[in-house]
């Protein structure tokens, strides 16, 4: 029994036919990244210093109906990611709809040690002090893909936050 995996942008929920070709007799995982950006699109224009302007792109009702409405698929797990959990409507993250909330914390020394072994096959120097407390794992992965060396990562993580 295989699992079908679909990675969809939030805008796919607004097409009305995202389940037409799949999810009939198979177990499925639907991953929807940055759901906060699709339901409430950040325009990054500051208003009153810390308040952002929001513009709806996909209605909350549409997403909820796709998750557990009349036409929702069976045998399907939905996984949503967000950088702004406070921007998600409580109706979406209530128990029974979203059952597990997992926060991913910034990289600590232990995580950095494992990261350096995995990507560079080299441990951290014993005297290394991880000074960055604001870097997520995905940011380090982006640096590796972009060509950063072992030394580049050490330098980046060893200086105070920018």
């Amino acid at each position: 029994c295989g699992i079908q995996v679909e990675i969809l942008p939030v805008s796919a929920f607004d097409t009305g036919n995202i389940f037409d070709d799949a999810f009939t007799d198979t177990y499925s995982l639907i991953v929807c990244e940055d759901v906060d950006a699709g339901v409430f699109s950040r325009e990054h224009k500051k208003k009153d210093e810390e308040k952002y302007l929001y513009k709806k792109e996909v209605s909350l009702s549409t997403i909820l109906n796709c998750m557990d409405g009349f036409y929702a698929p069976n045998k399907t797990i939905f996984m949503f990611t967000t950088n702004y959990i406070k921007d998600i409507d409580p109706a979406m993250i209530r128990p029974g709809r979203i059952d597990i909330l997992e926060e991913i914390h910034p990289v600590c020394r232990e995580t950095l040690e494992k990261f350096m072994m995995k990507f560079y096959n080299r441990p951290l120097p014993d005297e290394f002090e991880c000074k960055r407390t604001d870097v997520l794992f995905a940011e380090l992965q982006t640096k590796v893909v972009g060509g950063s060396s072992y030394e580049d990562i050490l330098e980046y993580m060893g200086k105070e936050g920018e």
Side-chain angles (χ1 to χ4, degrees), residues 70-106:
F70 184 73
Y71 292 106
N74 293 319
K75 302 178 187 177
T76 300
I77 295 173
F78 288 90
M79 184 172 122
F80 295 95
T81 68
T82 181
N83 292 320
Y84 303 95
I85 191 74
K86 293 177 184 174
D87 291 348
I88 304 299
D89 190 290
M92 186 169 176
I93 58 175
R94 70 162 172 76
R97 194 167 273 148
I98 301 289
D99 297 316
I100 300 171
L101 293 175
E102 188 68 39
E103 182 177 356
I104 299 174
H105 298 280

Side-chain angles (χ1 to χ4, degrees), residues 67-156:
M67 291 172 65
D68 61 6
F70 184 73
Y71 292 106
N74 293 319
K75 302 178 187 177
T76 300
I77 295 173
F78 288 90
M79 184 172 122
F80 295 95
T81 68
T82 181
N83 292 320
Y84 303 95
I85 191 74
K86 293 177 184 174
D87 291 348
I88 304 299
D89 190 290
M92 186 169 176
I93 58 175
R94 70 162 172 76
R97 194 167 273 148
I98 301 289
D99 297 316
I100 300 171
L101 293 175
E102 188 68 39
E103 182 177 356
I104 299 174
H105 298 280
V107 173
C108 63
R109 182 184 167 86
E110 180 183 352
T111 304
L112 184 60
E113 179 82 43
K114 291 175 183 177
F115 180 88
M116 297 304 255
M117 286 302 296
K118 174 151 181 80
F119 288 98
Y120 298 104
N121 200 28
R122 292 172 63 186
L124 288 175
D126 290 336
E127 69 281 356
F128 180 79
E129 183 182 349
C130 187
K131 295 182 181 175
R132 297 293 304 262
T133 59
D134 60 339
V135 177
L136 295 177
F137 191 81
E139 184 177 343
L140 290 180
Q141 288 177 307
T142 301
K143 289 188 173 297
V144 169
V145 170
S148 292
S149 68
Y150 173 87
E151 290 75 18
D152 293 336
I153 300 293
L154 284 181
E155 180 183 344
Y156 182 69

Side-chain angles (χ1 to χ4, degrees), residues 7-112:
I7 301 175
L8 303 170
V10 177
S11 60
F13 284 88
D14 215 19
T15 65
N17 62 351
I18 64 169
F19 305 123
D20 284 356
D21 298 326
F23 317 120
T24 52
D25 294 321
T26 62
Y27 289 94
S28 303
L29 171 66
I30 297 176
V31 179
C32 183
E33 293 189 315
D34 297 327
V35 69
D36 56 288
V39 179
F40 300 104
S41 179
R42 292 177 303 282
E43 294 184 11
H44 294 295
K45 294 179 182 174
K46 290 209 173 188
K47 183 177 183 180
D48 299 329
E49 293 185 3
E50 294 185 0
K51 295 181 182 176
Y52 290 94
L53 301 173
Y54 296 97
K55 176 183 80 177
K56 287 191 178 208
E57 293 195 355
V58 176
S59 74
L60 178 63
S61 175
T62 299
I63 291 178
L64 298 181
N65 283 327
C66 287
M67 291 172 65
D68 61 6
F70 184 73
Y71 292 106
N74 293 319
K75 302 178 187 177
T76 300
I77 295 173
F78 288 90
M79 184 172 122
F80 295 95
T81 68
T82 181
N83 292 320
Y84 303 95
I85 191 74
K86 293 177 184 174
D87 291 348
I88 304 299
D89 190 290
M92 186 169 176
I93 58 175
R94 70 162 172 76
R97 194 167 273 148
I98 301 289
D99 297 316
I100 300 171
L101 293 175
E102 188 68 39
E103 182 177 356
I104 299 174
H105 298 280
V107 173
C108 63
R109 182 184 167 86
E110 180 183 352
T111 304
L112 184 60

